[in-house]
Amino acid sequence: MRRLLYLLILYALSCPLTMAQKAGGTKQYQLFGVGFYNLENLFDTVHDVGKRDQEYLPDGANKWGSVKYNHKLHNMSRALADMATDRLPNIGCAAIGVSEVENANALTDLINQPRLKQRNMQFFHIEGRDRRGVDCALIYNPALFHLKQGSLHPYVPELEKDSTYATRGFLVVQGQIAGEDVAIIVCHWPSRRTGSFYRESAGRQVRHIKDSLINDNPELKVFVMGDMNDDPQDRSMARELRARRDISEMRPKDMYNPWWKILDNGDGTLSYQGRWNLFDQIALSPKLLNLDGQKDFSSLKFFKAEIQRLPYLLQSEGPYKGTPKRTHAGGIWLDGFSDHLPVVVYLVKEKPEKPATPETPETPAAPTETTQNP
């Protein structure tokens, strides 16, 4: 019976106007998307004092004027608005973590693009210490994600020689999805150029932040997302964050990393020298999972993880066909999107059953969307 119920849930979620049947009655399921996207240098055209943003100025190396900036805003808003719409048409994601955005000014311009403004998308951002001036932020739909509070935890150098090292911190945003407490930790871990130690350090620091949040609220559901600059099997993720490949391997303070198996199957979010990597990941705390073979969706639970391979995000011809279409490549403006692809995890929760009224005691429910309508 449990397997039959699970298959019916899968079918219902793939068909927005289909009901899932359960012995003893009819069940409807809400579906939510939570995503992440590296926006690849979303800079405005104005110099930020103290930041190394000179290449993204009108007289800089990239000749970053209003035309290129407005095209970049349009392209990014299109991709963000389309995330998760294959399963959630006209709704998209409840929340999307983003990286490589310069400041609140760029974020304000982004959410004022027509497709995001139509959904009343908002953002949460705190200016960080990164020397280039790129930050993390959370863009969210207030009809689906209720913001409660947020904070920025700075990256803490663990080596004496790095006492002045300034890089992206860890943005912690707390709120509610479907009436349940969640925390989203948005990350952009140190570059591959710095060596594995610095990303391992980031993994340790984020694990401590996550553990502290759960100690304060044991029912909290935590997402750790971002451009980790490492693959799922690398030490920063597998050992330091303790993000496991299989749910069956998890211990109480571990996380689940669904992207590990996706990379094992040869799929990724960025391509380098003909090889796919999967640096863009969303790890999930135990409260978001059905453990021990359960299929209980009475509270918000993980359903599926997908890379968003929207055709327009990919090169359509040439030697790099099928790889992400960047903003610039080889010093040439491509009017593209990002060198990374976005990712989404889908979550499921049963809708509360409505008791039959005396007027219509035997009338079956009509087909209705299985997703929450914002």
Side-chain angles (χ1 to χ4, degrees):
M1 178 60 71
R2 282 183 174 177
R3 177 167 177 78
L4 175 61
L5 171 60
Y6 189 58
L7 292 174
L8 287 167
I9 291 172
L10 299 184
Y11 179 71
L13 292 173
S14 66
C15 306
L17 295 180
T18 302
M19 302 292 292
Q21 301 293 327
K22 180 180 179 181
T26 301
K27 284 285 186 183
Q28 295 177 295
Y29 296 90
Q30 299 167 294
L31 184 65
F32 300 88
V34 173
F36 174 79
Y37 194 19
N38 180 324
L39 302 184
E40 194 196 18
N41 297 318
L42 179 56
F43 282 83
D44 64 18
T45 62
V46 180
H47 175 54
D48 272 7
V49 177
K51 303 295 185 180
R52 300 175 185 174
D53 61 356
Q54 286 80 6
E55 64 180 314
Y56 284 94
L57 296 174
D59 58 352
N62 290 317
K63 305 297 180 186
W64 195 248
S66 60
V67 171
K68 290 185 178 180
Y69 178 52
N70 287 326
H71 275 244
K72 178 74 171 179
L73 291 169
H74 172 268
N75 290 350
M76 292 294 92
S77 65
R78 179 185 180 190
L80 290 164
D82 283 348
M83 288 172 63
T85 53
D86 56 338
R87 295 183 183 274
L88 294 166
N90 304 314
I91 296 174
C93 286
I96 305 170
V98 295
S99 67
E100 292 199 21
V101 60
E102 185 181 17
N103 51 33
N105 180 58
L107 284 161
T108 299
D109 290 343
L110 179 63
I111 65 167
N112 280 327
Q113 294 292 300
R115 293 190 63 182
L116 297 180
K117 190 172 184 178
Q118 183 179 24
R119 295 184 195 163
N120 190 33
M121 300 297 278
Q122 306 294 314
F123 71 84
F124 182 86
H125 164 260
I126 296 175
E127 187 72 23
R129 301 188 303 163
D130 183 78
R131 290 166 290 187
R132 287 185 64 237
V134 290
D135 296 328
C136 295
L138 186 78
I139 296 173
Y140 64 94
N141 184 336
L144 299 171
F145 177 85
H146 173 62
L147 176 68
K148 296 174 73 174
Q149 61 183 342
S151 57
L152 180 66
H153 295 246
Y155 178 95
V156 179
E158 294 185 352
L159 298 177
E160 185 176 350
K161 70 182 181 67
D162 295 323
S163 59
T164 61
Y165 182 54
T167 189
R168 283 86 55 174
F170 316 114
L171 187 73
V172 179
V173 186
Q174 296 186 62
Q176 288 190 330
I177 297 176
E180 300 186 22
D181 290 338
V182 301
I184 301 175
I185 306 176
V186 189
C187 307
H188 188 183
W189 289 0
S191 164
R192 300 284 278 192
R193 293 189 296 271
T194 63
S196 179
F197 170 83
Y198 297 91
R199 294 183 298 282
E200 292 171 36
S201 174
R204 286 190 289 274
Q205 293 180 45
V206 172
R207 172 164 49 86
H208 291 316
I209 294 168
K210 180 263 299 181
D211 288 346
S212 177
L213 290 168
I214 293 176
N215 285 339
D216 290 341
N217 179 2
E219 297 303 312
L220 187 66
K221 300 184 172 184
V222 182
F223 305 82
V224 173
M225 63 170 60
D227 175 0
M228 308 307 189
N229 273 308
D230 266 337
D231 284 320
Q233 73 274 16
D234 291 329
R235 288 171 63 96
S236 62
M237 291 296 296
R239 178 172 175 172
E240 301 303 339
L241 185 62
R242 299 178 186 170
R244 306 303 182 191
R245 182 181 184 275
D246 295 295
I247 292 176
S248 60
E249 300 174 351
M250 292 180 57
R251 295 168 294 181
K253 291 190 175 183
D254 290 346
M255 304 195 80
Y256 173 55
N257 192 348
W259 310 97
W260 197 322
K261 293 179 182 178
I262 291 174
L263 181 62
D264 285 349
N265 289 331
D267 207 355
T269 55
L270 70 158
S271 178
Y272 180 69
Q273 295 183 346
R275 175 178 175 269
W276 283 101
N277 292 97
L278 212 166
F279 293 173
D280 308 273
Q281 301 164 55
I282 304 174
L284 308 147
S285 69
K287 287 294 182 180
L288 282 160
L289 306 171
N290 268 312
L291 303 173
D292 301 322
Q294 297 178 21
K295 297 294 183 288
D296 178 11
F297 293 94
S298 59
S299 66
L300 200 63
K301 290 294 195 299
F302 168 73
F303 164 58
K304 192 174 182 64
E306 291 181 339
I307 298 172
Q308 301 292 281
R309 286 190 164 275
L310 304 168
Y312 59 78
L313 297 180
L314 303 171
Q315 293 276 7
S316 60
E317 57 187 8
Y320 300 105
K321 182 178 179 180
T323 64
K325 185 177 181 181
R326 307 185 57 170
T327 304
H328 293 94
I332 299 173
W333 180 49
L334 302 180
D335 193 17
F337 294 81
S338 173
D339 53 344
H340 294 243
L341 295 175
V343 293
V344 170
V345 293
Y346 292 97
L347 312 166
V348 177
K349 183 177 182 179
E350 289 180 7
K351 285 186 176 181
E353 291 189 43
K354 294 182 179 179
T357 63
E359 292 80 8
T360 57
E362 303 297 331
T363 304
T368 184
E369 289 193 5
T370 60
T371 57
Q372 178 170 315
N373 189 357

